């Protein structure tokens, strides 16, 4: 069977034999969990009316009778058309003789993007008319019969990747946008990576794929959660922002190794590149330390990595949180290029420049700089003004230099300097995060830097009771090309320590987590885990400009489904069983919007 280049690259990995599992996974279960070492390429035309896909036909098929189904992508002078399916394109010759008048009528009159079924013979293209840019460019189909399966009305946009379309229009007609080559590639690559991840975790390393509930209760701290009303007055479910509590409880339950492709929900409002519902590869293990989790993830990504991308090199480098901030001005640095932040305080220690003197006279005051190679050559006066304005606009943020570094990289790349190679994948572990951060609304109070179940660094436990702000955590993030694609931690498995952190340090209502505290008291093993953001990971791997380009049916940046006009209003009578009444805004514009 033949494939277009992009599809064959996706499926090539499937034909690799998997090493046979010989170790028993758990007693008598081992026999049923042993893998077959035999693998085949997928059969795309099984169980359906077609004999072949449009994209697989080659010169080796000459003379074969085939039946194809697909969309009419292009037609020229009523002499031939190009038929498209998910697999590729093929040229179909429209018969000109009178005996095939009915076939000619169907193929000539069907609008573009109509769905047709054709049967005919694979023949060679005339000499000199081959198309080397097309995988099926050496052959064409001499049609004998044709059937119009469904005619297409006038489209809101053409189904071509090079056609410029607004994102709002793409989302409104998402089912059409999905026909594009790029969306097909993104979603199929995503599917293949997830399949390989399942194979690696469950079949090679004994993880158990377990579904956890979607309806749960409110979790203290962390991101805001969506509420779901119940029929009991004043009582609500929450949609979990992650399966965090469930996966820890599975470790208490002795499952040992858990994995799930988990749907998660966060009510974060209008954020440009976030989704209210998203997917993560969720993992938890018992009797593991930070090094074990990191090694697992490195192996997982190496195993599931697409064959058409530069290979993943392990182990990944590691950097402390403090080092990342000092060197790159961010906890998710893009290490594909230099332009590191340099402390030049000593150079200006005896300066007479007023504002530098002021900075250095303050406690922990420093003077830092970014060296931009050949900046004088590439930056124009307007660029310098742009940088100056950017600095002024972001002056009150500690992460200014990190943002300035990226802003300068953007400007250099507009001048033709290649700094961030899109084919290079630069992974980095960031470790030793603080366990707590001051609350923005009240800096005297603390909040969890990660989540309240993260264990403190063993060397810093004594500081919990004296200087909790100085405590480091056993939290680790995985960064890829400046994007956080994963985060996890070793968990607290001691009920007394968990109670102290929740009640005394974070001042949370422990009643909300009484089930967790009780579970930790019943012989909870040491455990830890991680979650990989699948949407973000695939976005970086495919080089897509937005995570919405790797999700089949995403929400807009405002959290709306433009295709179905969601969220939508609910009639009062349907709200009655949930004991809910809507309080409409008094603002006329807001009221009108509803």
């Amino acid at each position: 069977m033949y494939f277009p280049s992009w599809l064959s690259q996706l499926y090539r990995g499937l034909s690799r034999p998997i090493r046979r599992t010989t170790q028993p996974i758990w007693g008598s279960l081992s026999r049923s969990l042993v893998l077959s070492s035999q693998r085949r390429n997928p059969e795309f035309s099984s169980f359906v009316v077609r004999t072949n896909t449009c994209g697989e036909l080659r010169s080796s098929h000459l003379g074969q009778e085939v039946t194809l189904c697909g969309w009419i992508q292009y037609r020229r002078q009523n002499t031939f058309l190009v038929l498209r399916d998910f697999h590729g394109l093929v040229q179909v010759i429209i018969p000109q003789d009178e005996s095939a008048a009915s076939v000619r009528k169907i193929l000539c009159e069907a609008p573009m993007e109509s769905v047709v079924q054709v049967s005919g013979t694979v023949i060679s293209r005339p000499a000199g008319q081959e198309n080397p840019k097309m995988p099926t460019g050496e052959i064409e189909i001499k049609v004998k019969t044709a059937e119009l399966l469904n005619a297409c009305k006038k489209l809101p946009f053409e189904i071509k990747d090079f056609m410029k379309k607004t994102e709002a229009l793409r989302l409104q007609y998402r089912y059409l946008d999905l026909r594009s080559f790029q969306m097909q590639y993104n979603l199929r690559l995503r599917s293949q990576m997830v399949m390989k991840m399942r194979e690696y975790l469950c079949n090679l390393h004994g993880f158990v794929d377990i579904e956890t509930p979607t309806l749960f209760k409110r979790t203290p701290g962390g991101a805001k959660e969506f509420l779901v009303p119940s029929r009991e007055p004043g009582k609500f479910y929450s949609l979990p922002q992650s399966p965090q509590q469930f996966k820890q409880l599975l470790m208490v339950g002795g499952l040992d190794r858990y994995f799930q492709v988990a749907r998660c929900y966060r009510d974060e409002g209008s954020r440009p590149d976030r989704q209210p519902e998203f997917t993560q590869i969720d993992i938890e293990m018992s009797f593991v330390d930070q090094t074990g989790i990191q090694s697992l993830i490195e192996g997982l990504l190496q195993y599931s990595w697409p064959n058409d991308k530069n290979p993943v090199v392990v182990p990944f480098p590691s950097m402390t949180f403090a080092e990342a901030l000092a060197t790159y001005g961010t906890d998710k640095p893009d290490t594909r290029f230099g332009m590191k932040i340099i402390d030049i305080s000593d150079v200006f220690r005896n300066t007479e420049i007023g504002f530098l003197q002021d900075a250095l006279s303050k406690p922990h005051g420093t003077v830092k700089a970014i060296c931009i190679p050949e900046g004088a050559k590439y930056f124009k006066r307007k660029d310098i003004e742009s940088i100056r304005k950017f600095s002024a606009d972001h002056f009150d943020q500690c992460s200014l230099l990190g943002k300035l570094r990226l802003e300068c990289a953007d400007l250099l790349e507009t001048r033709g300097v290649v700094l961030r190679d899109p084919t290079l994948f630069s992974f980095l572990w960031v470790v030793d995060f603080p366990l707590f951060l001051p609350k923005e609304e009240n800096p005297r109070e603390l909040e969890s830097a990660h989540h309240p179940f993260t264990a403190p660094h063993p060397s810093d436990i004594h500081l919990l009771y004296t200087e909790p702000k100085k405590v480091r955590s056993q939290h680790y993030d995985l960064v890829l090309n400046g994007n956080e694609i994963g985060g996890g931690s070793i968990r607290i498995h001691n009920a007394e320590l968990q109670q102290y952190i929740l009640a005394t340090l974070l001042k949370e209502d422990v009643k909300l987590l009484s089930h967790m505290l009780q579970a930790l008291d019943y012989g909870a093993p040491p455990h830890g885990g991680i979650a990989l953001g699948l949407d973000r990971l695939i976005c970086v791997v495919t080089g897509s400009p937005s995570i919405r380009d790797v999700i089949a049916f995403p929400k807009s940046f405002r959290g709306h489904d433009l295709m179905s006009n969601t969220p939508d209003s609910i009639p009062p009578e349907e709200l009655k069983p949930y004991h809910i009444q809507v309080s409409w805004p008094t603002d006329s514009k807001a009221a009108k919007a509803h």
Side-chain angles (χ1 to χ4, degrees):
M1 180 172 288
Y2 298 89
F3 308 92
S5 58
W6 68 272
L7 198 62
S8 63
Q9 288 163 345
L10 278 184
Y11 284 96
R12 193 177 299 148
L14 290 178
S15 60
R16 291 185 300 179
I18 307 303
R19 72 171 174 85
R20 189 175 179 85
T21 301
T22 55
Q23 293 293 324
I25 293 179
W26 194 11
S28 62
L29 292 179
S30 61
R31 291 185 182 177
S32 61
L33 294 177
V34 168
L35 287 177
S36 167
S37 62
Q38 300 300 314
R39 285 283 173 173
R40 295 181 54 195
N41 284 331
E43 176 53 69
F44 291 116
S45 294
S46 52
F47 315 116
V48 292
V49 294
R50 65 173 178 250
T51 60
N52 301 83
T53 61
C54 295
E56 71 174 281
L57 298 174
R58 301 291 188 275
S59 296
S60 58
H61 294 89
L62 288 175
Q64 289 188 18
E65 298 293 317
V66 297
T67 297
L68 308 175
C69 299
W71 287 263
I72 299 175
Q73 174 154 312
Y74 174 77
R75 183 169 48 224
R76 184 175 181 183
Q77 297 176 346
N78 289 343
T79 58
F80 71 87
L81 58 81
V82 174
L83 195 64
R84 183 194 76 244
D85 64 10
F86 75 94
H87 208 165
L89 309 171
V90 69
Q91 183 165 290
V92 174
I93 301 301
I94 300 174
Q96 304 297 315
D97 47 300
E98 281 300 316
S99 61
S102 60
V103 174
R104 175 180 168 82
K105 179 179 173 64
I106 290 171
L107 298 182
C108 289
E109 294 183 1
M112 293 298 103
E113 287 301 307
S114 292
V115 187
V116 296
Q117 176 180 321
V118 299
S119 296
T121 309
V122 181
I123 61 173
S124 294
R125 292 198 186 193
Q129 295 186 21
E130 299 89 350
N131 185 351
K133 296 180 180 179
M134 220 171 149
T136 61
E138 294 182 349
I139 59 95
E140 56 192 10
I141 308 300
K142 184 179 180 182
V143 176
K144 294 179 180 176
T145 64
E147 181 182 354
L148 177 64
L149 300 178
N150 206 343
C152 180
K153 293 183 177 180
K154 182 175 173 58
L155 296 171
F157 54 81
E158 289 188 64
I159 313 296
K160 292 176 182 174
D161 285 281
F162 59 83
M163 295 298 295
K164 298 295 182 184
K165 307 172 280 286
T166 65
E167 186 174 63
L169 192 64
R170 290 178 58 204
L171 294 179
Q172 184 181 355
Y173 298 96
R174 189 59 162 187
Y175 44 85
L176 296 179
D177 189 53
L178 290 174
R179 295 182 191 175
S180 69
F181 164 81
Q182 193 60 55
M183 286 303 303
Q184 289 275 324
Y185 175 80
N186 290 352
L187 294 179
R188 291 177 189 280
L189 181 140
R190 178 182 176 127
S191 171
Q192 287 304 306
M193 286 191 71
V194 170
M195 186 282 297
K196 296 295 287 182
M197 287 178 177
R198 286 187 188 277
E199 194 173 76
Y200 181 84
L201 291 169
C202 297
N203 295 345
L204 299 187
H205 292 286
F207 280 76
V208 187
D209 187 349
I210 301 177
E211 297 175 5
T212 53
T214 300
L215 296 177
F216 193 43
K217 69 184 298 182
R218 185 171 64 86
T219 305
K224 289 186 177 179
E225 297 167 333
F226 287 102
L227 299 178
V228 179
S230 76
R231 291 176 182 267
E232 295 183 52
K235 293 192 175 181
F236 295 81
Y237 298 103
S238 283
L239 300 182
Q241 52 188 290
S242 80
Q244 182 61 46
Q245 293 184 52
F246 290 114
K247 64 182 183 178
Q248 290 191 240
L249 292 170
L250 288 169
M251 297 304 102
V252 179
L255 268 297
D256 193 70
R257 296 183 169 204
Y258 145 90
F259 151 75
Q260 181 183 187
V261 181
R263 297 293 286 170
C264 305
Y265 309 86
R266 290 181 187 172
D267 187 7
E268 297 186 305
S270 301
R271 299 189 65 172
D273 211 24
R274 294 286 182 94
Q275 287 285 293
E277 51 183 330
F278 56 96
T279 306
Q280 64 186 35
I281 304 298
D282 204 47
I283 292 170
E284 197 80 4
M285 298 174 72
S286 294
F287 311 108
V288 71
D289 60 12
Q290 182 171 309
T291 302
I293 293 288
Q294 291 175 340
S295 297
L296 169 76
I297 295 304
E298 289 169 1
L300 173 70
L301 289 169
Q302 193 173 44
Y303 187 87
S304 61
W305 203 249
N307 292 315
D308 63 338
K309 308 294 180 186
N310 286 333
V312 171
V313 179
V314 299
F316 301 156
S318 182
M319 182 180 294
T320 66
F321 170 79
E323 185 184 355
L325 287 187
T327 310
Y328 295 98
T330 177
D331 61 359
K332 47 183 179 183
D334 189 339
T335 53
R336 287 176 295 174
F337 69 104
M339 291 170 51
K340 296 179 181 179
I341 298 168
I342 306 167
D343 191 328
I344 55 173
S345 301
D346 290 342
V347 177
F348 292 97
R349 193 68 64 186
N350 299 315
T351 184
E352 296 181 2
I353 302 173
F355 74 94
L356 293 179
Q357 281 183 338
D358 290 343
L360 290 171
S361 66
K362 293 177 181 177
H364 309 294
T366 57
V367 177
K368 296 187 176 184
I370 301 171
C371 179
I372 303 172
E374 297 190 282
K377 174 182 175 182
Y378 291 105
F379 283 172
K380 298 179 180 178
R381 183 180 295 275
K382 66 177 182 179
D383 297 325
I384 303 297
E385 287 303 317
S386 173
I387 291 170
R388 190 171 292 158
K389 183 178 185 306
F390 183 91
S391 301
D393 291 344
H394 298 82
F395 189 72
D396 59 342
Q397 300 180 16
C398 304
S399 59
L400 169 61
L401 282 176
K403 292 182 176 179
L404 195 60
R405 174 177 177 264
L406 296 177
E407 180 72 9
C408 290
D410 290 340
L411 287 170
L412 283 172
E413 289 186 334
T414 62
R415 299 282 179 263
V417 180
V418 178
L419 286 178
R420 294 167 288 194
D421 182 353
T423 66
L424 180 65
F425 297 98
S426 182
F427 287 93
L428 175 72
W429 288 109
V430 179
V431 300
D432 288 353
F433 284 80
L435 187 61
F436 305 111
L437 294 173
K439 283 186 176 179
E440 281 189 25
E441 63 274 16
N442 186 358
R444 292 183 179 181
E445 293 186 3
L446 298 177
E447 63 182 5
S448 296
H450 187 45
H451 58 58
F453 311 112
T454 299
H457 195 287
S459 304
D460 295 351
I461 288 182
H462 64 285
L463 295 173
L464 278 174
Y465 308 97
T466 55
E467 298 178 281
K469 289 182 180 179
K470 293 184 178 180
V471 178
R472 292 169 297 164
S473 70
Q474 295 190 66
H475 165 204
Y476 33 84
D477 275 355
L478 182 57
V479 178
L480 172 58
N481 294 359
N483 297 273
E484 181 192 333
I485 61 162
S489 66
I490 301 303
R491 324 300 186 189
I492 298 168
H493 66 280
N494 178 280
E496 186 179 341
L497 177 58
Q498 184 69 82
Q499 169 103 12
Y500 176 77
I501 286 177
L502 284 169
T504 306
L505 297 181
L506 297 177
K507 297 178 172 47
E508 296 285 2
D509 182 1
V510 293
K511 291 179 183 176
L512 290 170
L513 293 168
S514 59
H515 57 286
M516 278 289 291
L517 293 170
Q518 187 178 48
L520 296 180
D521 250 341
Y522 289 156
H527 57 283
I530 194 170
L532 296 179
L534 183 62
D535 307 314
R536 182 77 57 200
L537 173 63
I538 303 299
C539 181
V540 177
V541 170
T542 58
S544 300
S546 166
I547 60 171
R548 291 183 286 278
D549 291 324
V550 298
I551 301 171
F553 296 99
K555 303 293 187 291
S556 71
F557 78 95
R558 295 184 62 193
H560 292 180
D561 182 345
L562 302 182
M563 183 179 65
S564 63
N565 289 319
T566 306
D568 202 0
S569 56
I570 300 293
E573 59 270 19
E574 291 187 26
L575 292 175
K576 226 174 188 180
Y578 301 104
H579 313 280
I580 291 176
Q581 285 185 318
V582 177
S583 177
W584 295 103
T586 54
D587 179 75
S588 59
K589 288 184 180 178
K592 194 177 289 184
H594 288 81

